Amino acid sequence: MVQRLLQPGEIESLDHNAIPRLLLPHPATLFAARATRLRQLAAGEVPGIPVEEALRGYLGLMAQLADAQQAVVAGSVAYQVELPPDASMKLAHDHNMPPLPVSGARPAGWRAVFAALLEALKPGVEASPQLAPALALLRGLNDAELEGMADAILNGYAEGIDPLCAPFIAAALQVSWSLMASRLDPAWAQPLVTGTLCPVCGSQPVASVVRIGGQSQGYRYLHCSCCESEWHMVRVKCSCCEANGKVAYQGLVGKDADPQAANVAAAGEGKTLDKANDPTKVARAETCDDCHTYRKIFNQEHDYHVEPLADDLASLLLDVLVSEAGYARASGNPLLWLKDEA
Ligand SMILES: [Zn+2]
Ligand SMILES: [Zn+2]
């Protein structure tokens, strides 16, 4: 009898104390939770993330967009998005590449998702005044323009992007990729050579989040800006250059020495010595003096309902503070595109 050797993933699953390295998304609940969070942020109901008046309308519009994402995920169009053939996922796996690469061919169903998303965005009495002009622009795009903008969004170049259209196209791509990721056998995904890109689709993270509950308790995850997967990265490490020597934290109330980080260093990752539910620790920027960039980190220990993408969007004030201090944002938020100043 030949004894079958365990694969690395199976060995990890035998260890019940192992850190879950990859959290695949649950699109059926994710977009609804994001819509709720965006509305709470817009209403000023999140103590750790005060939102300026000027941003509230935009958050409301993005909440409507998240509602539409939720409607598309629950509808029949969701079945038009199919996983790539096993052979191509195997090839990617064998070469340490993401199995659902955003740089590769898009799933054929994504344009049906885009059309369904526009359909779900009916301007009603409650609608944001920005919605109707955005929809008119989006309906006017021909296929080449739409695919061109999708390329620019997924590959992270600002050229050719219309800031009003881009969040809606990015939203359709998120629906398509998160549906695929949710159906993925995690065995196809593995940590990449770099820990700074999504192991499922190869995109940049939008922000990071310290999770609570179950085996993820106290661990930090990076949240993918496209497929909505989360992957583990140890705390107090730059999510851009992976150096850990010059990382600091900037909150909305001022730079601190991060007692939390010191506690983690003393107690080991996954342990929490800090008092929970401290609003000053919900949203912070993790700055790095090695590469002079920052990314935000949201802490579920201090607000159970943190949602990395929504919270990142709502905490623009923190971007202002940190960029004034000389740090560049490591990567953008797919729901916010600013006009190219060049
Ligand atoms: Zn991803
Ligand atoms: Zn760095």
Side-chain angles (χ1 to χ4, degrees):
M1 195 179 100
V2 180
Q3 194 177 0
R4 196 174 65 93
L5 289 174
L6 284 170
Q7 297 298 309
E10 295 178 303
I11 294 168
E12 266 173 29
S13 70
L14 292 176
D15 176 3
H16 295 290
N17 296 314
I19 306 168
R21 302 270 167 203
L22 178 65
L23 309 176
L24 292 174
H26 300 286
T29 52
L30 183 149
F31 296 109
R34 180 170 297 161
T36 302
R37 180 70 169 179
L38 283 164
R39 290 198 169 91
Q40 284 166 347
L41 287 158
E45 289 167 3
V46 178
I49 306 177
V51 173
E52 322 69 298
E53 195 65 42
L55 190 58
R56 294 184 176 187
Y58 190 74
L59 295 182
L61 177 64
M62 291 301 110
Q64 284 186 293
L65 180 53
D67 285 340
Q69 287 177 297
Q70 154 65 25
V72 174
V73 164
S76 59
V77 171
Y79 298 98
Q80 293 189 35
V81 180
E82 288 175 2
L83 282 173
D86 277 5
S88 80
M89 291 194 284
K90 182 179 186 316
L91 191 69
H93 182 269
D94 290 348
H95 290 84
N96 269 83
M97 302 288 285
L100 309 173
V102 289
S103 55
R106 281 186 276 284
W110 100 269
R111 291 230 296 263
V113 165
F114 177 72
L117 195 66
L118 296 192
E119 200 52 39
L121 279 161
K122 288 273 181 332
V125 261
E126 307 264 295
S128 148
Q130 290 163 284
L131 182 59
L135 285 177
L137 267 174
L138 290 158
R139 293 213 171 93
L141 294 175
N142 63 36
D143 287 354
E145 287 166 333
L146 180 60
E147 294 290 350
M149 236 187 287
D151 278 336
I153 288 166
L154 293 175
N155 294 296
Y157 37 83
E159 245 171 88
I161 285 191
D162 180 320
L164 191 54
C165 290
F168 296 86
I169 299 169
L173 295 167
Q174 282 179 334
V175 167
S176 306
W177 255 270
S178 65
L179 284 169
M180 288 193 290
S182 69
R183 298 168 189 156
L184 189 72
D185 181 339
W188 291 124
Q190 57 190 338
L192 304 180
V193 177
T194 166
T196 64
L197 296 176
C198 174
V200 171
C201 76
S203 295
Q204 302 254 21
V206 64
S208 61
V209 56
V210 173
R211 289 277 174 218
I212 60 169
Q215 283 180 276
S216 298
Q217 178 70 40
Y219 293 118
R220 181 262 283 269
Y221 290 85
L222 297 176
H223 186 101
C224 180
S225 56
C226 183
C227 78
E228 315 271 359
S229 296
E230 295 190 348
W231 67 101
H232 174 251
M233 180 180 273
V234 292
R235 281 158 81 160
V236 204
K237 178 175 182 173
C238 173
S239 67
C240 190
C241 75
E242 300 193 75
N244 55 13
K246 297 174 184 167
V247 170
Y249 295 86
Q250 163 87 52
L252 281 162
V253 284
K255 197 161 180 162
D256 60 57
D258 194 31
Q260 179 79 352
N263 284 346
V264 168
E269 221 203 353
K271 307 268 180 6
T272 304
L273 298 178
D274 240 16
K275 231 165 99 197
N277 297 320
D278 178 350
T280 68
K281 291 179 181 158
V282 172
R284 286 187 295 179
E286 187 173 59
T287 61
C288 172
D289 279 334
D290 277 307
C291 68
H292 301 283
T293 69
Y294 73 93
R295 230 180 224 122
K296 291 180 212 159
I297 178 162
F298 301 99
N299 196 324
Q300 204 176 18
E301 291 165 333
H302 297 293
D303 180 344
Y304 182 77
H305 299 288
V306 291
E307 205 291 314
L309 192 141
D311 290 9
D312 178 68
L313 198 59
S315 54
L316 271 183
L317 205 55
L318 191 52
D319 292 274
V320 174
L321 283 175
V322 186
S323 52
E324 277 173 3
Y327 299 97
R329 200 179 145 105
S331 57
N333 185 310
L335 299 189
L336 183 67
W337 298 78
L338 300 173
K339 281 223 161 45
D340 204 353
E341 278 159 24

